[in-house]
């Protein structure tokens, strides 16, 4: 989700987020999303599949959908769709739809990157289908600059990571206020129709297009709030939904409050606390592993924590090239998402900075499908219009102090990741804010690591309390989502659930296949991620 997740350098990791406070939804009034015209009034689109690139096993198509489902005869938008056919040998069972999170993850690119992370048994029996959600990537997209050069010039005008000091805070706030003005000028109607509810309606349209009577779905990070929204808007169409790296719906909607939120999104979701807990595990395990396995190790957990504190104090006064204190914390926040190779690479990056060297960026691996323009305004357009934020930019310095007291450096990062929404010009015309406990045709499977730097395990428990029927599978491990931090145990349970509906036992737990700081470096793609519209040094 959450959350936001950054898209720098093709492509960073992902996020969405969640919080711990849960309240009953039984008295919640359904939002405008349920006032849309019946989807039966929208013609089923034809999917004319062709190879995405010559010789590729991935097929692409483009379909049209209404901009506003309440007025299906009005303006249309395009949705870019991708598919990998079931590989057999067993009989094909249908299509598994995948959302890679963000918001802002372009599924047309990321599904092919992440394809080998899906359980083998699922790939054999299901076509794997994804799409660029409205406003994103190759679909009709939010683009506030008109050219990559203008986008790059804007990005260079503000601090990396988060602002430090009064002058940088003013620059940061001014830059994002300017971004909002630019976006409002280019396509104000689109900005108001990229909500999670709009995308849930697109998802059901795509389900109809592939001919499945009910939806089979895997959503990670922000994809969990999309999945929960779909389940409550279309409860009779739920066949099997796997929600991995969960967001508390009440935190996403601020309990459907009509007033100004008391905390920014990521703080009320607890992302800052989850990230700090995960980073503490990184430092503990790095210190215990020794320099043979973690370059930043100082020989013990305590000494390694002290070493990091000394490094950040030094970087505040003496950056290493572009690597300021804030840029380094930004890199830490991103590197925690995928343990292999992220944690080992992070140890090397921190050691380079400790020794005064500019870290070398990791080698870029060309994606199976080229990346489209995926500017930071795309994910922000979704989260800022759909999830409420405090509207006074000057209040975020106070929020930063609160978050730093409970989560340290990462609290500062996650506070300012939400600030761009303070001056965002659009509110979604078609939001879904509950109820979340509508009985569904089949139960939903929730999956979450215990140390997730974006969506803590407590958020998955909160999601479970909200949904009418669900089962939580816990991965005793680290990183954001189980999909990107593989466990054959998790994959086995997921396969049985997706194929024949068998849920794990109550209280089921799994461990990851490869512990942190080992030589194993699995291959495959990574999901997009980061904080709202925050970007990264890499």
């Amino acid at each position: 989700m959450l959350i936001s997740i950054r898209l720098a350098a093709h492509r960073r990791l992902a996020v969405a987020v969640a919080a711990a406070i849960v309240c009953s939804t039984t008295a919640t009034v359904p939002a405008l999303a349920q006032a849309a015209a019946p989807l039966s009034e929208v013609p089923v689109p034809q999917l004319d599949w062709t190879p995405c690139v010559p010789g590729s096993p991935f097929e692409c198509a483009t379909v049209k959908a209404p901009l506003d489902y309440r007025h299906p005869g009005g303006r249309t938008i395009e949705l870019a769709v991708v598919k990998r056919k079931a590989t057999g040998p067993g009989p094909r069972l249908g299509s598994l739809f995948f959302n890679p999170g963000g918001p802002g993850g372009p599924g047309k690119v990321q599904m092919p990157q992440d394809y080998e992370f899906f359980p083998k048994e699922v790939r054999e029996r299901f076509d794997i289908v994804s799409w660029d959600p409205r406003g994103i990537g190759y679909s009709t997209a939010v683009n506030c600059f008109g050219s990559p050069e203008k986008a790059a010039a804007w990005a260079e005008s503000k601090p990396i990571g988060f602002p430090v000091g009064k002058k940088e805070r003013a620059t940061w706030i001014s830059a994002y206020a300017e971004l909002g003005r630019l976006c409002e000028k280019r396509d104000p109607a689109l900005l108001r129709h990229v909500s999670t509810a709009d995308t849930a309606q697109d998802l059901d349209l795509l389900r109809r297009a592939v001919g499945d009577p009910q939806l089979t779905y895997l959503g990670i990070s922000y994809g969990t709030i999309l999945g929960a929204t779909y389940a409550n808007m279309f409860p009779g169409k739920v066949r099997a939904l796997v929600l991995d790296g969960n967001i508390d719906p009440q935190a996403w909607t601020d309990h459907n409050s009509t007033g100004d939120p008391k905390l920014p999104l990521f703080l009320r979701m607890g992302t800052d606390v989850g990230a700090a807990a995960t980073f503490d595990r990184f430092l503990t395990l790095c210190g215990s592993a020794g320099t043979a396995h973690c370059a930043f190790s100082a020989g013990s957990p305590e000494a390694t924590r002290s070493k990091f504190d000394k490094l950040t104090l030094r970087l505040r006064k003496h950056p290493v090239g572009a690597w300021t204190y804030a840029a380094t914390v930004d890199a830490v926040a991103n590197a925690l998402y995928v343990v292999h190779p992220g944690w080992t690479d992070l140890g090397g990056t921190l050691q380079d900075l400790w020794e005064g060297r500019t870290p070398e960026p990791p080698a870029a691996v060309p994606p199976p499908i080229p990346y489209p323009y995926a500017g930071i305004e795309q994910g922000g357009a979704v989260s800022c219009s759909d999830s409420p934020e405090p509207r006074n930019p000057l209040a975020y310095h106070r929020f930063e102090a609160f978050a730093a007291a409970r989560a340290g450096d990462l609290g500062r990062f996650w506070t300012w990741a939400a600030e761009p929404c303070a001056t965002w010009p659009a509110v979604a015309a078609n939001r879904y804010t509950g109820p979340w406990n509508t009985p569904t045709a089949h139960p939903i499977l929730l999956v979450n690591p215990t140390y997730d730097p974006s969506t803590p395990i407590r958020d998955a428990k909160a999601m479970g309390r909200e949904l009418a029927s669900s089962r939580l599978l816990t991965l005793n491990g680290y990183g954001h989502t189980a999909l990107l931090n593989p466990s054959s145990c998790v994959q086995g349970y997921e396969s049985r659930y997706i194929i024949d509906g068998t849920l794990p036992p109550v209280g089921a737990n799994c461990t990851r296949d490869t512990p942190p700081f080992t030589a194993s470096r699995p291959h495959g793609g990574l999901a997009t991620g980061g904080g709202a519209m925050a970007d990264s040094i890499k």
Side-chain angles (χ1 to χ4, degrees), residues 7 11 77-80 99-108 110 131-143 190 194 199 222 371-383 528:
L7 300 166
R11 204 86 341 200
I77 60 170
E78 291 188 340
L79 301 175
N99 180 274
K108 181 176 177 178
Q110 288 184 270
W131 77 108
D132 289 2
R134 54 173 60 213
I136 309 301
Y138 284 111
S139 293
T140 300
V142 175
N143 185 334
L190 181 61
V194 292
T199 294
Y222 165 77
Y371 260 95
Y373 173 76
I376 56 176
E377 70 268 33
Q378 294 185 358
V382 178
S383 58
T528 311

Side-chain angles (χ1 to χ4, degrees), residues 31-34 195-204 215 217 222-238 241 243 246-250 252-253 382 386 430-438 440 444 463 466-467:
L32 291 177
Q34 292 190 334
S195 72
T196 305
D198 291 319
T199 294
Q201 290 170 304
D202 291 339
L203 176 55
D204 202 61
L215 179 71
Y217 171 85
Y222 165 77
T224 65
I225 199 69
L226 172 59
T229 299
Y230 181 94
N232 284 276
M233 289 178 63
F234 302 98
K237 300 302 182 181
V238 171
L241 272 58
L243 309 184
N246 288 266
I247 299 167
D248 174 4
Q250 294 294 347
W252 177 258
T253 62
V382 178
D386 206 48
N430 187 32
R431 292 179 64 215
Y432 186 85
T433 57
W436 300 101
N437 59 354
T438 307
T440 51
I444 296 168
M463 175 71 89
E466 290 293 327
L467 297 175

Side-chain angles (χ1 to χ4, degrees), residues 94-460:
S95 298
L96 171 69
F97 283 87
F98 171 62
N99 180 274
K108 181 176 177 178
V109 180
Q110 288 184 270
M111 186 275 276
Q113 285 183 300
D114 296 340
Y115 178 76
E116 292 188 11
F117 285 112
F118 292 91
K120 180 175 180 290
E121 295 83 357
V122 173
R123 287 183 274 136
E124 289 175 343
R125 306 295 296 278
F126 288 85
D127 297 342
I128 309 298
V129 180
S130 191
W131 77 108
D132 289 2
R134 54 173 60 213
I136 309 301
Y138 284 111
S139 293
T140 300
V142 175
N143 185 334
C144 302
F145 298 101
S147 73
E149 292 76 18
K150 291 180 180 179
W154 175 86
E156 292 172 0
S157 72
K158 66 177 190 60
I160 296 171
F162 57 89
V164 178
K166 184 176 181 180
K167 182 178 179 180
E168 286 195 356
R169 287 195 296 272
T171 299
W172 177 282
I173 291 169
S174 176
Y176 279 108
E178 178 191 15
L179 177 63
R181 290 191 293 269
L182 292 172
C183 294
E184 178 72 2
K185 288 179 181 179
R186 290 185 66 88
D187 194 343
L190 181 61
L191 297 187
R192 288 161 176 78
H193 290 93
V194 292
S195 72
T196 305
D198 291 319
T199 294
Q201 290 170 304
D202 291 339
L203 176 55
D204 202 61
L205 190 65
L206 294 174
R207 174 195 63 78
R208 295 170 64 209
V210 300
D212 284 3
Q214 292 180 313
L215 179 71
T216 305
Y217 171 85
L218 169 59
I220 66 173
S221 197
Y222 165 77
T224 65
I225 199 69
L226 172 59
T229 299
Y230 181 94
N232 284 276
M233 289 178 63
F234 302 98
K237 300 302 182 181
V238 171
R239 178 189 174 275
L241 272 58
V242 179
L243 309 184
D244 180 6
N246 288 266
I247 299 167
D248 174 4
Q250 294 294 347
W252 177 258
T253 62
D254 194 37
H255 302 273
N256 198 20
S257 171
T258 58
D260 206 37
K262 294 181 179 179
L263 286 175
L265 172 64
F266 299 112
L267 303 194
R268 67 178 184 258
M269 291 181 169
T271 304
D272 57 327
V273 176
T278 305
F279 185 52
D280 184 71
R281 294 304 300 163
F282 167 87
L283 293 172
T284 296
L285 296 173
C286 176
S288 300
T291 55
H293 297 283
C294 180
F296 192 65
S297 176
S300 71
E302 295 77 13
T304 305
R305 292 191 190 93
S306 176
K307 183 178 178 179
F308 180 77
D309 291 341
K310 291 175 182 177
L311 174 62
T312 55
L313 287 172
R314 184 199 306 168
L315 289 171
R316 283 176 179 266
K317 297 180 179 180
H318 305 289
V320 178
W323 288 81
T324 62
Y325 157 68
T328 301
V329 174
D330 175 287
V332 168
N334 280 280
L336 294 175
Y337 283 87
V338 175
V339 172
H340 297 291
W343 284 29
T344 300
D345 290 347
L346 177 59
T349 294
L350 295 177
Q351 185 62 23
D352 283 341
L353 294 172
W354 179 258
E355 296 178 5
R357 296 189 301 269
T358 300
E360 290 291 330
V365 178
I369 298 171
Y371 260 95
Y373 173 76
I376 56 176
E377 70 268 33
Q378 294 185 358
V382 178
S383 58
C384 293
S385 67
D386 206 48
S387 182
E389 294 286 6
R391 298 293 291 177
N392 180 7
L394 300 180
Y396 284 77
H397 185 39
R398 172 170 54 85
F399 297 139
E400 177 189 351
F402 167 78
R406 73 180 191 178
D409 301 309
L410 289 163
R412 303 182 191 280
F413 170 83
W414 282 109
T415 298
W416 288 97
E419 189 282 330
C421 294
T423 50
W424 188 251
V427 174
N430 187 32
R431 292 179 64 215
Y432 186 85
T433 57
W436 300 101
N437 59 354
T438 307
T440 51
H442 296 95
I444 296 168
L445 176 61
L446 311 180
V447 183
N448 225 91
T450 48
Y451 285 95
D452 188 313
S454 179
T455 54
I457 186 67
R458 65 185 189 183
D459 301 338

